[in-house]
Amino acid sequence: MDVLRPTLININGRMYRRNVIKEEHYEEEDCSYMGLTESEDVADETCDTHFIEQTDKGYRCAIDVPSVLYKYIIGKKGETRKRLEFDTKTSISIPKQGVEGQIVITGSYKSAVSSAVTRVEVLVENFRKKQPFTHFLSFPLNDSKIQEGFLTFKDEVLQQCSQDHGVEGSIFQNPAKLHLTIGTLALLNDMEVRKACEHLQECEKFIRDITGGKPLPLEVTGVEYMNDDPAMVDVLYAKVNVKDGSDKLQVIADRLVEHFVSAGLMIREWDRVKLHGTVMNTLFRKDSTVEDTGGTGRQATSEREAFDARNILKKFGAYCFGGFELNTVLLSQRYSIDCTGYYSSAGSISFS
């Protein structure tokens, strides 16, 4: 890490510096203290994101933390919690592992409780980023006409290009799961899922303002590849555009990401959302459970066998999968299937 440009952690709009320390590799239950012990940015920071109440014995603050993150506050053999308590002169009560609840911090002084709360927040925020995503915002492309066009595309590619290196049926997307990923979220308990659903509902108004309260007519035409060498491709995707040539779909996607990033539910990966409907992905080759929503599944990237897409691009570069009217944004759950074969939905909003 660059000493002059240390890692910054954003917590509720405030920026905290992560100290430069020698990092170690721990087993799953062993968690470092992230070098926050003597950070003046944290130790002297007052907490205004949580209510600290005065009690007969001093001060108390309860904060919501998903149970899967408790271990990072406890640390190996309880060392992280002990160090937090010693440094801040507070007591930290954590529910049993697997039991959703609040972490309660108590102390004789309000400033001590405030400091402990901020340090716990920094730990939680840092380790939250390392959790695999559980949900994603999506535009479904599994309209029957698009599925039919996709299956025809698959059949023709296998008939005409199966002799090309790496081209085989296993690397094609499941037609029922065709979609555009807007952004991914790690929602670690039911409360966070409900929060995400509430924020999605808040987006309905601006989306309807953009679409005029009507479904958005789209056309899925043409294919493109992700990397620089068409002879060594891992992902081939379909291009999706609004029929009137406008950028309404892109604007909606970017506004959604902006909203969820501001709410602390999503991490921004790009300046603009890269909308693409994956039709072929080498991650599917040896593991059909892998999804193209941003995760790498159980296969390391180095183990992926690329395919030669030059003939596919030459013969099907302008292939038309079909058109349909998009009318919904879904909060889709990873590794799940609904009655249509698409991802189960935790929440949704409509354009009309």
Side-chain angles (χ1 to χ4, degrees):
M1 181 170 63
D2 191 333
V3 176
L4 298 179
R5 287 181 291 183
T7 300
L8 299 178
I9 302 174
N10 186 329
I11 298 178
N12 296 312
R14 289 175 175 265
M15 302 302 296
Y16 297 98
R17 183 189 69 229
R18 176 179 171 184
N19 284 357
V20 181
I21 61 172
K22 179 180 178 181
E23 297 202 18
E24 301 178 29
H25 295 286
Y26 296 92
E27 295 180 359
E28 184 179 27
E29 72 277 6
D30 189 4
C31 314
S32 73
Y33 191 42
M34 306 310 299
L36 295 171
T37 307
E38 299 299 333
S39 171
E40 60 185 6
D41 294 322
V42 173
D44 297 333
E45 181 61 76
T46 60
C47 172
D48 55 8
T49 58
H50 295 280
F51 175 67
I52 299 176
E53 62 176 325
Q54 188 169 8
T55 67
D56 294 340
K57 297 181 180 179
Y59 293 86
R60 176 185 184 276
C61 184
I63 57 178
D64 294 310
V65 176
S67 62
V68 296
L69 300 179
Y70 292 167
K71 61 185 177 182
Y72 302 116
I73 301 168
I74 297 171
K76 186 177 183 180
K77 297 181 180 179
E79 292 176 359
T80 301
R81 174 165 59 179
K82 291 175 183 176
R83 188 171 177 182
L84 275 167
E85 292 176 327
F86 177 81
D87 288 347
T88 61
K89 305 300 186 293
T90 60
S91 176
I92 302 174
S93 176
I94 302 174
K96 291 182 180 180
Q97 190 64 42
V99 177
E100 295 296 339
Q102 292 182 312
I103 290 179
V104 179
I105 301 174
T106 56
S108 300
Y109 301 98
K110 185 175 182 179
S111 60
V113 173
S114 176
S115 177
V117 169
T118 301
R119 293 177 186 225
V120 168
E121 282 188 317
V122 171
L123 282 171
V124 168
E125 185 67 19
N126 186 77
F127 284 106
R128 174 185 288 279
K129 294 177 181 178
K130 300 181 180 181
Q131 303 304 304
F133 73 89
T134 60
H135 296 72
F136 60 100
L137 292 178
S138 71
F139 294 131
L141 300 180
N142 61 342
D143 179 87
S144 59
K145 295 186 289 294
I146 305 302
Q147 288 196 52
E148 182 180 348
F150 169 79
L151 290 172
T152 300
F153 168 80
K154 177 180 178 180
D155 289 342
E156 293 184 2
V157 167
L158 291 176
Q159 289 174 12
Q160 301 181 41
C161 305
S162 60
Q163 76 282 0
D164 296 332
H165 176 77
V167 176
E168 60 181 34
S170 66
I171 65 175
F172 285 82
Q173 172 66 286
N174 178 343
K177 290 189 172 183
L178 289 167
H179 69 277
L180 299 174
T181 297
I182 302 167
T184 60
L185 308 89
L187 306 176
L188 305 181
N189 58 24
D190 291 342
M191 184 178 69
E192 294 190 351
V193 174
R194 289 194 297 271
K195 180 181 177 181
C197 290
E198 291 169 0
H199 278 281
L200 182 58
Q201 292 300 318
E202 292 174 5
C203 297
E204 190 169 67
K205 183 181 184 304
F206 78 70
I207 290 178
R208 291 184 176 183
D209 288 343
I210 293 172
T211 65
K214 300 177 182 179
L216 203 58
L218 303 180
E219 55 184 9
V220 185
T221 302
V223 294
E224 192 55 84
Y225 59 103
M226 284 289 191
N227 56 307
D228 297 328
D229 185 357
M232 295 290 288
V233 171
D234 281 318
V235 176
L236 191 77
Y237 63 91
K239 295 184 284 187
V240 181
N241 295 290
V242 183
K243 285 187 177 180
D244 64 8
S246 70
D247 62 350
K248 291 178 181 178
L249 188 66
Q250 184 69 54
V251 171
I252 292 172
D254 291 339
R255 287 282 299 275
L256 282 165
V257 169
E258 180 182 348
H259 182 92
F260 276 80
V261 169
S262 297
L265 292 170
M266 188 180 290
I267 297 174
R268 186 183 298 278
E269 298 183 49
W270 314 99
D271 292 336
R272 302 185 75 198
V273 178
K274 297 188 176 182
L275 293 172
H276 63 280
T278 298
V279 293
M280 299 172 71
N281 190 331
T282 58
L283 284 176
F284 302 152
R285 192 186 302 279
K286 294 182 180 179
D287 187 353
S288 60
T289 65
V290 171
E291 297 165 351
D292 61 42
T293 50
T296 57
R298 293 187 289 272
Q299 265 183 276
T301 302
S302 59
E303 297 174 354
R304 296 170 70 165
E305 179 189 351
F307 65 95
D308 187 345
R310 288 175 293 183
N311 276 331
I312 298 176
L313 292 165
K314 182 179 180 180
K315 297 178 179 180
F316 302 96
Y319 181 85
C320 179
F321 294 86
F324 75 107
E325 291 190 337
L326 178 68
N327 195 38
T328 187
V329 179
L330 301 176
L331 176 60
S332 302
Q333 184 176 337
R334 196 179 185 190
Y335 300 129
S336 66
I337 299 177
D338 65 14
C339 61
T340 69
Y342 194 70
Y343 302 94
S344 297
S345 173
S348 66
I349 54 175
S350 65
F351 294 2
S352 61

